[in-house]
Amino acid sequence: MKREMEMMEDVVIVGAGIAGLATAVALKRVGVRALVLERSQGIRTTGAALTLFPNAWLALDALGVSHKLTRSYDPLFKGSVTNINTGDVQQVLFSEQGIRTVHRKALLEALAEELPTDTIRFSSKLAAIEIQEQGGGASIAVVHLEDGTAIKSKVLIGCDGVHSVVARWLGLAEPVHSGRSAVRSLAVFPQGHRFNHEVQLFVDQQGKRAAFIPLNDSEFYWFFTCKGENMTGEPEQIQREVLEKYAENFPSIYLDVVRHADLSTISWAPLIFRHPWRIIFGNLNKGNITVAGDAMHPMTPELGQGGGSSLEDAVVLGRHIGNSIIKNGGQFVEGDMAKAIDDYVKERRWRAALLVTGSYLSGWIQHGGAKWWERFFKDRLFFKYIFGFLAGLAHYNCGNLPAVSSGKED
């Protein structure tokens, strides 16, 4: 029997992924307690690992959690791109800060550890959203959960992923399929591996792309992407299809990594994104309601900016809400939150659209066809000139959080 229960919160965040937890940490830093609603029974670890570029580490610095991760994951400063049809190898040098590939679970746990134990409410599936007018132009959001709970909130932030209920409520168009799909997993070498500490990327002329990236001395993050969406079944079957069907002509060193896959981490998914013009012109906020992370700007993974851009969102949103609190003498003033959220959206809209566009174009070129001009563009121009410009989008500082004195922080 469903129970009827009503609660009141300053901020409700829907989704305990990277964007949701990072936003909760950012708000805690500026003295605002948030309630995070997560539909799963615990922290979700789907995705195995992710690569974080300099912009992500600057955001983690602002959130005060980067030190937890940098001591466990060494930076990578270079990589290579191998064309398996021609044998050509191009070297790729990263910035002096390098990049780090981290376990997704480790990142989520580092963020969750910063929050009070009652911040995350698990098994909380969103059923509906409504607005209640308060008079004087102010309003509150009411979140209805499937268990009958109704939660009133002065600010509602949707961090509920690519199929966001909050984004749908705002009227944002649904994400679309890029025409490509990806398999992702961890590979484990219990006795250690023999590979260099660098990124190794492989491409062919049939639109396939694969890589493996070390996390430490015994684990790799690996992926395989191709056109279409045909890989289905249990983890063992997906691994077998990669080895025997999709990547059978790839170098043996890559296939060896796939053979060492931790089957519990294998996932297959179509790569989807939101059209950038939907982000530029769409309704990313309404009053005190907005979205962040994949709920705002789902993107394909070619620039490795899904996680980093979510961390940026959290810091920027926390900064604008924190500035509102400072302006109002340390108080969370409900009527001023709509402006803070609108300022956040204005700051993030174009940056998010640019990342989505750059990621899609990077993937479209790398997965290009076998015509001579497509090969020439990809092999001779893209990695040598264009990719460096797109990768430069990772050299971005989203700023810091303001110092706010408030008794709500604990």
Side-chain angles (χ1 to χ4, degrees), residues 290-312:
T290 191
V291 284
D294 285 344
M296 178 192 286
H297 45 65
M299 64 186 73
T300 57
E302 284 80 15
L303 294 184
Q305 285 299 308
S309 58
S310 295
L311 294 169
E312 291 178 13

Side-chain angles (χ1 to χ4, degrees), residues 187-407:
V188 181
F189 291 75
Q191 306 304 318
H193 59 76
R194 66 184 188 278
F195 302 107
N196 294 330
H197 191 70
E198 60 184 56
V199 179
Q200 297 204 42
L201 177 67
F202 308 92
V203 295
D204 75 355
Q205 295 175 358
Q206 285 71 49
K208 298 174 184 177
R209 179 173 171 268
F212 60 86
I213 309 167
L215 285 90
N216 48 48
D217 292 336
S218 61
E219 292 179 288
F220 284 94
Y221 169 56
W222 65 268
F223 66 79
F224 180 86
T225 62
C226 61
K227 295 179 180 178
E229 49 176 334
N230 301 316
M231 265 179 267
T232 57
E234 297 300 315
E236 295 88 346
Q237 181 181 348
I238 294 174
Q239 179 193 41
R240 187 166 55 252
E241 288 195 8
V242 172
L243 289 170
E244 299 177 1
K245 179 180 178 182
Y246 291 97
E248 60 175 341
N249 295 324
F250 276 59
S252 59
I253 55 172
Y254 175 76
L255 299 179
D256 189 40
V257 170
V258 176
R259 290 189 188 97
H260 282 79
D262 176 354
L263 296 179
S264 68
T265 66
I266 286 186
S267 65
W268 166 89
L271 302 179
I272 65 177
F273 69 105
R274 177 163 283 128
H275 285 129
W277 53 88
R278 304 289 189 187
I279 298 171
I280 294 171
F281 300 110
N283 294 321
L284 302 182
N285 62 306
K286 181 179 180 181
N288 292 359
I289 300 176
T290 191
V291 284
D294 285 344
M296 178 192 286
H297 45 65
M299 64 186 73
T300 57
E302 284 80 15
L303 294 184
Q305 285 299 308
S309 58
S310 295
L311 294 169
E312 291 178 13
D313 291 344
V315 174
V316 174
L317 184 51
R319 184 173 71 249
H320 285 290
I321 290 179
N323 287 338
S324 170
I325 292 172
I326 292 172
K327 185 181 75 173
N328 289 287
Q331 300 298 311
F332 185 96
V333 177
E334 176 187 342
D336 202 40
M337 285 299 115
K339 181 181 184 308
I341 288 173
D342 193 55
D343 289 342
Y344 151 74
V345 167
K346 287 177 180 177
E347 182 171 342
R348 295 303 296 161
R349 191 188 295 272
W350 285 94
R351 164 79 175 162
L354 182 60
L355 289 173
V356 170
T357 303
S359 297
Y360 177 82
L361 288 177
S362 179
W364 179 72
I365 293 168
Q366 292 182 61
H367 289 272
K371 295 180 180 178
W372 72 266
W373 62 269
E374 293 175 318
R375 296 198 309 271
F376 177 82
F377 187 76
K378 177 172 64 177
D379 298 341
R380 301 300 179 188
L381 299 180
F382 176 72
F383 284 111
K384 194 169 288 187
Y385 303 107
I386 300 173
F387 185 73
F389 168 76
L390 294 176
L393 296 174
H395 297 277
Y396 176 85
N397 190 343
C398 63
N400 296 313
L401 293 167
V404 178
S405 175
S406 173

Side-chain angles (χ1 to χ4, degrees), residues 8 10 130-142 152-156 169 286-289 332 334-338:
M8 183 69 188
D10 281 343
E130 66 171 315
I131 293 292
Q132 288 186 358
E133 300 298 334
Q134 298 295 99
S139 63
I140 61 172
V142 183
K152 294 182 177 180
S153 180
K154 298 173 185 175
V155 172
L156 176 62
W169 184 89
K286 181 179 180 181
N288 292 359
I289 300 176
F332 185 96
E334 176 187 342
D336 202 40
M337 285 299 115

